[in-house]
Amino acid sequence: MTYGTARRLRVNFGEEEILGKTGTCSRAGTRFGWFASYANTEVGRVVLVVFLQGGRPTYGPKAAEITGHIYRNLYDHNFFLSTPADKVAKTVSKVQ
C-alpha cells in the first residue's frame, strides 16, 4: 500500500507487501467502512477483512489503519517469521 486511501496501513506496518481495497458507504444514516487485504508471505497467504459500522468517523481508510495495527501485532508476535511446521517443532522440543 503505497498510495490511495489505504496508505494509512503503512503508518503502522511496512515490513510485508500488502495488497488491498478500501470502501465506504452509508445506509439510513449509518456509515460503513471496510478494508480487504492480502499478503503473500514466505510463511503463507494472509487475508484480513476489517468491516466497521458507525457514525461520521467510519470510513474505509480508518479500516485500513486498523488493519495495519493487526498486521503489526502479528509481526511483533513473530507470525511472519516461522512456518506452522517450525512452530510445531519448537513446541515439541520444549515438551521433550
Side-chain angles (χ1 to χ4, degrees):
M1 310 308 310
T2 56
Y3 60 90
T5 57
R7 68 184 176 277
R8 291 177 70 172
L9 178 139
R10 285 265 196 236
V11 170
N12 301 307
F13 185 74
E15 286 74 10
E16 295 283 339
E17 181 181 32
I18 308 295
L19 307 173
K21 177 68 177 122
T22 60
T24 304
C25 60
S26 61
R27 180 170 187 221
T30 301
R31 291 178 55 100
F32 303 95
W34 57 270
F35 181 67
S37 65
Y38 171 82
N40 189 15
T41 71
E42 292 180 16
V43 181
R45 295 178 193 108
V46 179
V47 174
L48 285 176
V49 176
V50 172
F51 185 84
L52 305 174
Q53 176 182 345
R56 185 99 175 117
T58 303
Y59 57 110
K62 186 65 174 175
E65 182 181 343
I66 291 168
T67 303
H69 286 291
I70 295 169
Y71 278 112
R72 165 60 48 212
N73 194 16
L74 290 170
Y75 187 84
D76 289 349
H77 287 88
N78 299 320
F79 180 83
F80 296 107
L81 299 179
S82 60
T83 65
D86 291 338
K87 291 177 184 178
V88 169
K90 288 177 187 176
T91 302
V92 170
S93 68
K94 287 180 184 177
V95 173
Q96 294 176 346

